[in-house]
Each structure stands twice: as structure tokens, then as C-alpha cells.
Amino acid sequence: MIQDTICAIATAQGGAIGSIRVSGPEAISITGSIFKPAKAGKLLSEQKPYTLTFGRIYDGDEIIDEVLVSLFRAPHSYTGEDSTEITCHGSSYILQQVMQLLIKNGCRMAQPGEYTQRAFLNGKMDLSQAEAVADLIASSSAATHRLAMSQMRGGFSKELTELRNKLLNFTSMIELELDFSEEDVEFADRSALRKLADEIEQVISRLAHSFSVGNAIKNGVPVAIIGETNAGKSTLLNVLLNEDKAIVSDIHGTTRDVIEDTINIGGITFRFIDTAGIRETNDTIESLGIERTFQKLDQAEIVLWMVDAVNAGSQIEQLSEKIIPRCEGKHLIVVFNKADLIEDKQKENLQSLLKDFPKESTECIFISAKQRENTSELQKMLIDAAHLPTVTQNDIIVTNVRHYEALNKALEAIHRVQNGLDSQISGDFLSQDTRECIFFISDIAGEVTNDMVLQNIFQHFCIGK
């Protein structure tokens, strides 16, 4: 398939200008067969690379549009192949007519992500850089954009390459000893190897641990909104999202399933999860919703416990045993809602109800979701609770689940190397564990990745990229 010449519309509908990309061994000749430069006597195939040529697209004698054609010659193009880009008017009719002409003259419609896949296969970028292209297109905040740009520029790949080279040197010294096993010689200084293994372990561990931050930046910090029925959870979600996402009523148990949505607050993406109200019920569907509430609570990093300020004492007493143990390692914000219905003196008494809560990870705030009172202060508390660092394009933070899994497996392998050096196991076992670590690091860059993994990665790209 990589020998085919492919084409695809690379721009979204609705714009004034449209772009069609053509790539492959016959890209220039196929484009030239439907395009005539305005300057007579000079064919497209005779143009220099990195030039724009003005002319017209023809279907026989009929003019389809006046266009600009960009020309790139292998290997100096995005895909590493001969490529053209046709810029025409953004009419969907014109774009489809040009596409039909290209296919009629020998092109094939590109698969999702096929341009970037060809760039990877032709050595224009490694796999982690190719995956960053999709992240860059999907970036929705300054932080996600910076992380994607850093990875696409090869910052992550460079650090992995340095690790891989050190490990290759490590294992080559061990395997050299195996070649001279009968002479009982030692080429590798075990203390130096242990020092190197410790250094590599620290780098892999740092990269793996950065995933929690990277995942939060990329997919949003998960925030579970929990509490009894009719405490105002759905009202708060609607206020935070500034839209009527969840149904709100005075009837208990209105929300029976999990409702999720994301919003950017102060440059940080939060993924809010409105859950079913927690109460004793015989309703089968509502019970399933409550079960999902606890599942989402376990997945959240920040928990907003909505408490009806009018009935706060009974709600906290009834739910504390169910909620507090599940909030270990999370940031808990107790939100006393309907605070406009109580007096200031009562607020001091309500705060005393939290005296047995973990002080280092618990905060409280009084709001009225219905009246939108103190909701801005709650947003500030969420930003502080997220604890996300300021990200620059030089930061190396893991955001990809596939990379995270590979790093964890590499970490397990280097731990076996460290333990093997401590217990003085034979060189062949050390070499095997080191080779496994190299394998998983190389898998991130795509040096050992199989076709099934590649297909899974690129099928999620948009067509035209």
C-alpha cells in the first residue's frame, strides 16, 4: 500500500479555502495530468521543489477552479515522498470534483493517519513523534499544545535514545564476558554497572511518574461531584459548565447515571463527573447509578462532596463512613450548598463537623449553586487543588498510555538488573533483563513495534493527516 499514490482533503468544510494533499511515487504526474499552469509551456513536473504554481484544474475542457499547487520532491517532504498540495476555493463541490479527478487518474483515497504513518515508515519521524501529531491537532489548551510540541520536536525521543545507548553499552560489556566465559575474565566493572543501572532507573521512574500529571493535562483532572440526593450536584455541574447539562428538579434521585463533561478553568482542563445521589433505595436502576458513583469516586483526583447546608449534620453523619475511606490520597472539598438559607453563626457550627476529617487534604466552602454565590471562589480552590505545574515546551511529560505501559515494563526490567547485580547472578541473566529493558524503551520510538500496534495508533487520526 505504501507504493500507492494517495490523496485526501486536508481542510475542514466551511472555509473560504480548501486544501487537497497528494503523496506517493506518482503524485506529481497525476496532479500534472489535471492541472495546467497559467504560464504556458511549463509543465508541473518541470517546476522546482518548494514552489507554488498558479493555474487551473481541468476536467477535459471544463475548468473546475483556479488553484495554487505546492510541489515537494522526495525525500524532502512531510511524508518523505513526492508530494503536492492543491489549494482551491473551499466549495465542497469543487473539492469533491478535484478528488474525483485525482482518483480517476490513479490516486487512492488516503486512510486515516496515512500521511503521518508514511512519514514514520520513511524515517521522517519516530513513532512517539508521529503520535504527538494527533495530540497537537487535538490540543485544547496551552499546556496540551506545549506538551505535544515538545514530543513532536523529539524531546522525549532524545531522552529515550540516550537511555537506550547507555543500556546497549551496558549489555555489550556483559555479553563480551560471555564470549570469553572459559577464560573467566570480567570486562564490566560491576560497581560501575550498578551506578549506571541506578541512573537509568531514576530517569525511567521519573518519566513513568510524570504520567499522572500528563494524563491530567491531556484528558482533564477528574473531579467527582458526590453527595446525597437533592443536595445540588447537578445544579453545580450546570453552573460550572455554564449550560443545562444535567436535569435539575426537586424530586430525589433525578440523576440515575453518571454525567461527564470538561471545561477549562484558569488554563487547566477539568473533567467533571456528576453522579447519582447516595441514599438507601429499592429502585434497581438508581442502585446501579449509586454503584457507579463509588466507582467514579475511586477514579477521581478531586472530590466535591455536596452537602445540603440545611441538613448538613445528618448527611455528614450518614455518609462519612462510606466517603472518607475512599478519599485517601485525594483532595476533598466539602461544599456546603444552599448556604443562603442559613445564618452565619450556623456556618461555624457546620465547620466543626469536619474536625475528624484529614486536615491536610480537606477544605470546605459555603456556596449557593442556585444563586451562583461563591462559585468563583470554588473554581479557584479547584485550580489550587489540581497542583499542576506550569508546562513549557522543554518539559518532558508522558501523556500517552502506551508509553506509560512500556515505561513501567522497562522499569520492572531495570529493577531485575539491579537485584541481579546485588545478588551477583550470572552475566547471561543480566544480559537478558537488560535486553528486555531496551526492548520496551525501543517500543516507544517504534523500533520494534508490530503492524497491529501501528494500525491501532493511526486509525484514530483524522483523514488528511
Side-chain angles (χ1 to χ4, degrees), residues 128 155-165 207 407 441 444-445:
S128 67
F156 187 31
S157 303
K158 183 179 179 181
E159 186 145 10
L160 291 176
T161 299
E162 290 175 359
L163 280 183
R164 183 175 175 275
N165 291 339
L207 290 173
L407 285 168
I441 289 175
I444 294 172

Side-chain angles (χ1 to χ4, degrees), residues 186-249:
E186 187 175 279
F187 292 101
D189 181 349
R190 292 301 191 267
S191 61
L193 290 179
R194 176 60 208 235
K195 184 179 179 181
L196 179 59
D198 290 345
E199 178 189 339
I200 291 170
E201 188 269 342
Q202 287 178 6
V203 175
I204 297 175
S205 182
R206 172 174 56 79
L207 290 173
H209 289 158
S210 73
F211 178 71
S212 59
V213 173
N215 190 50
I217 292 173
K218 182 178 178 180
N219 299 314
V221 179
V223 182
I225 307 174
I226 65 167
E228 276 200 10
T229 57
N230 216 26
K233 300 183 297 299
S234 297
T235 303
L236 178 63
L237 178 70
N238 290 342
V239 169
L240 291 170
L241 297 177
N242 202 29
E243 65 170 293
D244 292 333
K245 182 76 174 182
I247 297 173
V248 176
S249 81

Side-chain angles (χ1 to χ4, degrees), residues 87-99:
T87 303
C88 58
H89 290 94
S91 158
S92 59
Y93 171 77
I94 291 173
L95 288 165
Q96 290 301 326
Q97 286 294 106
V98 176
M99 284 291 293

Side-chain angles (χ1 to χ4, degrees), residues 9 14 40 58 70 107 109 144 167 183 273 275 277 285 326 343 368 375 379 383 398 407 424 436 446:
I9 299 171
Y58 283 86
S70 310
C107 278
M109 182 72 181
T144 53
L167 285 166
E183 283 78 4
I273 310 161
T275 61
I285 295 176
R326 293 175 179 267
E343 297 179 358
S368 171
T375 53
Q379 291 182 345
I383 293 170
V398 177
L407 285 168
Q424 298 181 342
E436 282 193 25

